[in-house]
């Protein structure tokens, strides 16, 4: 049953460029389908979360992560009576703006872009779906609905000042009401992102042998999951035991969000999506106790995974790649591919040129960034990695 506060495709605020409605798909379904068919979505296959893309076939990429987020989001959304297609559209689009090399690449590009307005992956996702995807005859971008764009822009909450430049530029022509919260569907996508990465980073850290199963079994929440598995399946082999424990961990996070969100919604009593946007707080949340436990887990992952010696070395090497490519393209834009040179020819300031260079670098996959760096410099920054 659809909830009163769910976004109704029939009541959508529409698209920047009006289009005839489909006879067999809702407007939110079309948004989701356009995102899946976008070039930027396909490139997520070769963009990583933590590890370099070529380091192993089993580590998560941005694409597999986005699919996992979409799966979690649909489960929660259906339980809450929300619009599944809008929820999934936001979930699948939430990482479109990420650079190569995960957050390391974003940190480097943001530092280089500070004189020109900075770099933010959420704002970049908006830039991609409203401008950089250029396949349609009638418009640049994907011409998504207001609700999907709102969800991409502010699924983590209202956008504070200063508003990232790429987002501010679009908001001037299509007001996304950045001062309010997003729809319940977008909030579900945001928490599903947290659930997915908390779960799969533990998986990937184990596979990379950055910590042991015994160390994992001492963490809050996870310890109870291991205890339950040991009671139910005494003597279970090593790999199945840890998989069963992490499967239960995953389920607990989902159940907690659903329970807390239902209580929040019952207390608020929203009648429309607007009530959700103006509630003054996120409706989709973890419980305080579970959130505190997740902070302990994130701290563990920070020290044992994100700042592991091999990962720190990789961070330095790929930072050097971004630090080299950006000034190269700024000083000689003719090094950019032909299809980018028309935009370069129209720039009237260094800031506009820097934004084009950032667009190009942010769109690179891990392997392409390494290949471009090697082609332009003759140096292989990965040569000394064992």
């Amino acid at each position: 049953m659809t909830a009163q506060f769910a976004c109704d495709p029939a009541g959508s605020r529409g698209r920047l460029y009006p289009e005839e409605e489909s006879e067999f798909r809702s407007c939110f379904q079309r948004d989701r389908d356009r995102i899946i068919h976008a070039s930027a979505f396909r490139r997520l296959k070769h963009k990583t979360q933590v590890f370099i893309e070529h380091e192993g076939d089993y580590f998560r990429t941005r694409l597999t992560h986005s699919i996992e987020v979409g799966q979690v989001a649909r489960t929660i959304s259906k339980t809450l009576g929300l619009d599944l297609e809008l929820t999934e559209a936001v979930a699948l689009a939430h990482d479109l703006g990420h650079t190569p090399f995960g957050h390391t690449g974003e940190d480097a590009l943001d530092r280089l872009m500070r004189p020109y307005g900075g770099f933010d992956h959420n704002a970049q996702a908006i830039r991609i779906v409203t401008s950089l995807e250029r396949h349609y005859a009638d418009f640049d971008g994907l011409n998504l609905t207001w609700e999907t764009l709102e969800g991409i822009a502010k699924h983590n909450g209202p956008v504070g000042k200063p508003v990232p430049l790429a987002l501010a530029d679009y908001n001037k022509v299509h007001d996304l009401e950045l001062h309010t919260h997003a729809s319940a569907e977008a909030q579900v996508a945001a928490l599903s992102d947290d659930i997915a990465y908390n779960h799969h980073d533990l998986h990937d850290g184990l596979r990379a042998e950055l910590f042991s199963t015994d160390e994992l079994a001492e963490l809050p929440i996870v310890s109870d999951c291991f205890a339950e598995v040991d009671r139910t399946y005494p003597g279970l082999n090593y790999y199945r035991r840890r998989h069963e424990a992490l499967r239960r961990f995953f389920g607990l996070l989902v159940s907690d969000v659903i329970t807390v969100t239902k209580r929040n919604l019952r207390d608020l009593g929203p009648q429309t999506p607007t009530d959700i946007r103006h509630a003054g707080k996120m409706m989709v949340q973890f419980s305080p106790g579970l959130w505190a436990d997740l902070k302990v887990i994130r701290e563990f992952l920070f020290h044992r995974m994100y700042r592991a010696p091999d990962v720190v070395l990789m961070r330095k090497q790929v930072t050097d790649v971004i630090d080299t490519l950006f000034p190269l393209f700024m000083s000689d834009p003719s090094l950019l591919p032909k299809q980018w040179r028309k935009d370069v020819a129209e720039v009237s300031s260094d800031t506009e040129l820097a934004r084009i260079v950032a667009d190009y670098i942010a769109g690179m996959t891990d392997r392409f960034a390494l290949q471009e760096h090697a082609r332009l410099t003759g140096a292989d920054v990965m040569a000394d990695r064992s």
Side-chain angles (χ1 to χ4, degrees):
M1 181 177 177
T2 302
Q4 290 179 306
F5 49 82
C7 287
D8 180 1
S12 170
R13 301 193 195 186
R15 307 176 188 276
L16 182 61
Y17 304 101
E19 298 182 52
E20 289 187 15
E21 293 298 325
S22 168
E23 295 181 7
F24 48 86
R25 289 182 297 168
S26 76
C27 58
F28 300 149
Q29 283 180 281
R30 294 178 81 186
D31 283 358
R32 181 208 49 209
D33 296 348
R34 289 179 179 185
I35 289 163
I36 289 172
H37 287 281
S39 299
F41 186 74
R42 291 194 298 275
R43 286 197 298 270
L44 296 179
K45 177 182 178 183
H46 297 296
K47 292 189 178 189
T48 39
Q49 297 285 108
V50 177
F51 300 97
I52 299 278
E53 184 268 332
H54 67 263
E55 289 192 320
D57 291 339
Y58 291 97
F59 297 127
R60 263 66 171 198
T61 67
R62 290 282 175 196
L63 181 59
T64 58
H65 167 69
S66 296
I67 292 170
E68 290 179 22
V69 174
Q71 172 261 317
V72 177
R74 284 183 66 90
T75 297
I76 298 173
S77 185
K78 183 177 182 180
T79 304
L80 298 176
L82 303 176
D83 187 276
L84 297 184
E85 280 73 31
L86 175 59
T87 307
E88 190 174 25
V90 177
L92 294 177
H94 83 281
D95 269 357
L96 289 180
H98 269 293
T99 65
F101 314 129
H103 288 288
T104 301
E106 180 174 4
D107 292 344
L109 197 54
D110 181 44
R111 171 171 45 78
L112 292 163
M113 283 292 293
R114 279 176 195 162
Y116 313 106
F119 180 89
D120 174 85
H121 74 266
N122 279 339
Q124 188 67 14
I126 290 290
R127 187 165 168 83
I128 287 168
V129 300
T130 61
S131 176
L132 298 181
E133 288 282 329
R134 296 173 181 174
H135 306 296
Y136 295 89
D138 294 326
F139 45 78
D140 287 342
L142 305 181
N143 199 32
L144 303 177
T145 61
W146 185 93
E147 290 79 7
T148 299
L149 292 172
E150 175 214 30
I152 298 170
K154 54 184 183 175
H155 56 272
N156 289 320
V159 180
K161 295 183 178 180
V163 177
L165 190 60
L167 180 53
D169 285 346
Y170 184 75
N171 201 60
K172 292 174 185 176
V173 299
H174 199 187
D175 184 9
L176 300 178
E177 300 178 3
L178 299 178
H179 62 286
T180 70
H181 285 274
S183 64
E185 286 85 354
Q187 293 183 35
V188 166
L191 261 289
S192 298
D193 182 30
D194 288 349
I195 291 170
Y197 74 66
N198 275 293
H199 172 251
H200 65 52
D201 281 2
L202 294 176
H203 261 295
D204 285 352
L206 283 172
R207 184 172 289 277
E209 298 182 347
L210 296 176
F211 45 82
S212 68
T213 301
D214 288 343
E215 290 174 301
L216 182 66
E218 294 177 0
L219 293 173
I221 311 174
V222 187
S223 59
D224 292 338
C225 295
F226 271 101
E228 182 186 341
V229 171
D230 291 341
R231 285 194 302 270
T232 308
Y233 304 103
L236 190 64
N237 78 50
Y238 176 80
Y239 290 104
R240 291 177 189 263
R241 176 175 178 260
R242 74 186 193 187
H243 179 83
E244 284 291 331
L246 287 174
R247 188 166 72 90
R248 283 162 173 75
F249 171 71
F250 188 76
L252 283 173
L253 300 190
V254 173
S255 296
D256 184 83
V257 167
I258 290 171
T259 299
V260 173
T261 302
K262 282 183 173 179
R263 183 172 65 242
N264 288 343
L265 292 168
R266 185 171 59 250
D267 292 345
L268 179 68
Q271 300 299 304
T272 68
T274 300
D275 293 338
I276 299 289
R277 294 187 177 99
H278 293 276
K281 68 173 186 177
M282 297 286 275
M283 288 288 100
V284 184
Q285 297 175 317
F286 291 116
S287 65
L290 187 136
W291 180 239
D293 287 341
L294 284 179
K295 287 182 178 179
V296 175
I297 293 172
R298 297 305 291 172
E299 186 72 13
F300 172 83
L301 285 168
F302 180 84
H303 292 291
R304 298 302 301 277
M305 185 173 179
Y306 311 139
R307 291 300 180 267
D310 283 350
V311 176
V312 169
L313 173 61
M314 177 272 291
R315 284 172 56 88
K316 179 183 184 305
Q317 290 168 322
V318 299
T319 296
D320 289 344
V321 170
I322 304 295
D323 284 349
T324 300
L325 289 177
F326 186 87
L328 267 178
F329 293 128
M330 286 293 292
S331 62
D332 187 1
S334 69
L335 294 173
L336 293 168
K338 289 181 181 179
Q339 63 265 36
W340 291 81
R341 293 177 198 167
K342 181 180 182 295
D343 289 341
V344 170
E346 296 174 354
V347 303
S348 59
S349 68
D350 285 346
T351 296
E352 291 179 5
L353 175 60
R355 180 58 55 187
I356 292 171
V357 171
D359 289 339
Y360 180 55
I361 293 175
M364 292 180 175
T365 63
D366 292 12
R367 64 172 65 176
F368 183 70
L370 294 172
Q371 289 168 356
E372 278 291 271
H373 180 271
R375 181 179 70 83
L376 294 170
T377 68
D380 182 359
V381 299
M382 297 290 122
D384 60 344
R385 288 181 66 80
S386 56

